[in-house]
Amino acid sequence: MKRVLLVGPPGSGKGTQAEKICKYLNIPHISTGGMLRDAVASGSDLGKKIEGILAKGELVSDELITSIVGERLGRDDCKNGFLLDGFPRTKAQAQALDRILVDKPLTHIIELVVPHEDIVKRLLDRAKVQARSDDTIDVIENRIKVYEAQTKTVVEHYSGSRFFKIDGSKTIDEVSHDVRKVLEHLS
Ligand code: AMP
């Protein structure tokens, strides 16, 4: 049973690797960014509330995102494992997740490490093809800044044998291979 947390800055290839891992392990991909973007697209009350926050690359409140994730992890399809992508992003979220998973802790925390220049370049390339409203240069810099300021504290929250650092600057297939090795290392 694998309960995986994938951590990495925007543009680290987290989404691509998350999809591959979920297919390989047959577990649901819990992407908080994806869930929030879906809420905005649906035009729901929640979507209207968070639209501006997402567009600026800022974080929605810890309380809101924690309740969304708590509800999602309580569904049946998470009973045999899951992959978290984009949550937790702050220390408070990491502590809230510990409480949610009190009797079934994360089995693998995987950090994708990519140099700053590579991330900016990848995000700008993606902006050209995807037209994501949060992929302009200023917003990109802001998202990386937010990541560096807040999310690193999340990495510090996890340590020991369940934590793995992977070089995310290699090719997609190479990174995927390294990730699988880590997933097979502990089960
Ligand atoms: P992502 O696709 O993971 O980069 O997330 C896109 C945007 O959704 C972020 O820039 C935040 O505005 C918001 N978001 C996603 N996950 C979280 C989270 N765990 N806490 C707060 N905001 C989040």
Side-chain angles (χ1 to χ4, degrees):
M1 160 96 66
K2 311 261 196 306
R3 291 179 292 271
V4 184
L5 166 60
L6 193 58
V7 191
S12 61
K14 203 163 32 96
T16 305
Q17 294 300 332
E19 270 175 40
K20 284 177 169 288
I21 297 167
C22 289
K23 233 186 197 160
Y24 167 61
L25 294 176
N26 194 24
I27 52 176
H29 177 188
I30 318 279
S31 156
T32 46
M35 289 196 283
L36 295 174
R37 279 189 292 279
D38 286 350
V40 171
S42 78
S44 64
D45 287 348
L46 170 67
K48 286 186 194 122
K49 225 168 77 184
I50 61 174
E51 197 168 9
I53 301 173
L54 260 71
K56 279 189 260 169
E58 286 165 8
L59 296 180
V60 306
S61 77
D62 289 334
E63 292 72 22
L64 176 68
I65 198 71
T66 299
S67 79
I68 292 174
V69 171
E71 187 275 327
R72 182 66 190 85
L73 291 178
R75 290 199 215 154
D76 277 355
D77 64 342
C78 293
K79 288 216 162 74
N80 294 316
F82 53 80
L83 179 141
L84 273 175
D85 165 8
F87 179 96
R89 259 173 154 94
T90 66
K91 184 116 191 126
Q93 292 179 17
Q95 289 166 340
L97 184 63
D98 286 346
R99 289 193 290 274
I100 294 170
L101 298 179
V102 65
D103 50 355
K104 41 182 178 358
L106 294 170
T107 57
H108 298 76
I109 297 107
I110 301 175
E111 184 189 12
L112 295 180
V113 182
V114 183
H116 186 94
E117 317 76 75
D118 293 18
I119 292 168
V120 175
K121 188 181 172 306
R122 284 185 188 182
L123 289 175
L124 284 173
D125 288 348
R126 181 163 86 186
K128 284 179 208 136
V129 287
Q130 278 187 359
R132 255 175 70 160
S133 68
D134 61 356
D135 268 349
T136 63
I137 183 77
D138 287 350
V139 175
I140 286 169
E141 289 287 359
N142 193 38
R143 287 172 68 211
I144 296 173
K145 218 171 77 196
V146 168
Y147 174 80
E148 284 169 356
Q150 293 198 277
T151 312
K152 275 192 178 159
T153 62
V154 173
V155 169
E156 283 158 17
H157 183 82
Y158 299 103
S159 60
S161 57
R162 297 172 304 144
F163 185 80
F164 305 89
K165 260 185 202 293
I166 301 255
D167 178 359
S169 63
K170 297 187 191 171
T171 67
I172 291 176
D173 284 348
E174 283 167 337
V175 176
S176 172
H177 175 260
D178 292 347
V179 168
R180 277 190 196 202
K181 265 201 331 218
V182 154
L183 289 168
E184 278 154 20
H185 169 74
L186 270 183
S187 38

